[in-house]
Amino acid sequence: VKEVSGDLNDVRMIQSGAGIHEFEPSASDVAAIYEADVFVYHSRTLESWAGGLDPSLQKSKVAVVEASNGMQLDKVAGEEVSAEEGIDEKTLYDPHTWLDPEKVAEEAQLIAQELSKLDSKNADTYQKNAQKFAEKAKALSQKYQGVFSGLVEKTFVTQHTAFSYLAKRFGLKQLGISGISPDQEPSPRQLTELQDFIKTYKVKTIFVESNASSKLAETLKKATGVNLKVLNPLEADPENDKTYLENLEDNLEILAKELKH
């Protein structure tokens, strides 16, 4: 939103250092949303609380924009089922599009469309900024297409299966360790299953989240002998001064480096 908006608007982020999945806004967060002109969120399946905001109840004029609306999404691997009556079909699709540079470019252009409708006198600026951002995102994608296509090893193992779109974009395969929480030690049974998994797939590195507890990391390392590296799902403030695309490139660089080994 900042890239698309440029210097035109005061853009602020409601966020949690702990990540997006369990996040619930505080009363002051919600009040701030209702006082804004526009509230942009990614997806009603990811930020389910945001999908339930109803400005009319608060006598607010805030325009609510679901930024992933209109994007082509993939179904969650292994969960290819149809929505039953009363179920929101969007819940069957993977929301983690922001880890694929080209999907990020697509979303920037959708945000520009929405902002242009709401603020038509600045439509040209929104469109140009989104186009500029899209070109940078696509250049990043092309750079890493070349890097990943030259690698023999294409499979990587993650603790958090957020990287399906990234894997698809670059011809890689993501394998997930199911049921391992970022803040809890695995049970003896989980460790046994994990050891079997590592043996079967000849795993050398497991990518963990930046907020995974050091206790979990040490337990995994001790029990399995694998390397642990951080691959950031960018679901919380990365606490640096880098741009979004620079943070995305850091991930791609780490992944490429590990797959080369």
Side-chain angles (χ1 to χ4, degrees):
V1 176
K2 281 183 176 176
E3 292 274 358
V4 172
S5 184
D7 298 326
L8 287 175
N9 305 302
D10 176 13
V11 180
R12 301 180 189 188
M13 185 160 67
I14 284 182
Q15 46 117 10
S16 158
I20 208 165
H21 286 284
E22 308 301 321
F23 177 68
E24 285 293 332
S26 67
S28 61
D29 288 335
V30 176
I33 291 167
Y34 286 126
E35 282 167 17
D37 296 306
V38 185
F39 171 59
V40 182
Y41 70 103
H42 176 65
S43 162
R44 63 182 181 269
T45 61
L46 187 70
E47 302 112 314
S48 53
W49 59 270
L53 289 173
D54 186 348
S56 64
L57 294 178
Q58 302 290 329
K59 298 184 175 58
S60 166
K61 291 188 173 68
V62 63
V64 178
V65 173
E66 182 182 16
S68 63
N69 198 18
M71 290 180 86
Q72 185 73 45
L73 301 178
D74 295 338
K75 290 219 169 162
V76 176
E79 294 178 26
E80 289 85 355
V81 290
S82 302
E84 293 169 26
E85 203 178 326
I87 301 284
D88 181 353
E89 198 180 351
K90 199 164 185 180
T91 59
L92 306 177
Y93 290 84
D94 183 355
H96 298 90
T97 51
W98 64 87
L99 295 164
D100 168 1
E102 298 202 29
K103 285 286 186 194
V104 174
E106 191 186 334
E107 189 158 356
Q109 287 167 317
L110 289 168
I111 290 167
Q113 276 174 33
E114 292 303 315
L115 293 182
S116 298
K117 284 180 208 166
L118 296 164
D119 179 20
S120 55
K121 71 177 190 296
N122 289 309
D124 275 1
T125 304
Y126 296 132
Q127 303 292 345
K128 279 178 190 158
N129 286 347
Q131 190 54 41
K132 209 184 290 178
F133 178 79
E135 282 162 14
K136 284 192 282 187
K138 284 172 186 172
L140 177 63
S141 179
Q142 281 167 356
K143 175 182 172 181
Y144 279 87
Q145 291 287 0
V147 172
F148 288 116
S149 67
L151 298 180
V152 177
E153 183 54 65
K154 306 276 189 185
T155 302
F156 64 102
V157 179
T158 62
Q159 171 215 353
H160 178 35
T161 50
F163 301 90
S164 299
Y165 290 100
L166 182 156
K168 185 181 177 183
R169 176 68 57 200
F170 297 107
L172 306 173
K173 186 181 180 187
Q174 170 189 244
L175 289 175
I177 304 165
S178 60
I180 304 289
S181 158
D183 50 11
Q184 284 174 351
E185 279 197 81
S187 67
R189 185 178 150 216
Q190 283 175 320
L191 275 177
T192 306
E193 286 171 0
L194 199 50
Q195 284 161 333
D196 293 343
F197 177 90
I198 283 161
K199 217 174 280 177
T200 304
Y201 291 101
K202 300 182 173 63
V203 176
K204 295 194 187 88
T205 302
I206 293 174
F207 292 102
V208 295
E209 286 183 66
S210 39
N211 65 343
S213 74
S214 55
K215 211 171 188 183
L216 165 70
E218 281 160 27
T219 305
L220 287 179
K221 204 164 185 174
K222 211 175 187 177
T224 62
V226 295
N227 292 318
L228 294 174
K229 296 278 175 182
V230 170
L231 204 56
N232 192 341
L234 296 174
E235 293 182 348
D237 181 359
E239 292 176 0
N240 60 40
D241 296 326
K242 294 180 179 182
T243 66
Y244 191 83
L245 291 179
E246 285 167 348
N247 276 293
L248 207 48
E249 179 157 20
D250 283 351
N251 268 347
L252 294 170
E253 210 172 289
I254 289 164
L255 196 49
K257 196 176 168 188
E258 285 309 306
L259 291 175
K260 271 179 195 164
H261 287 171

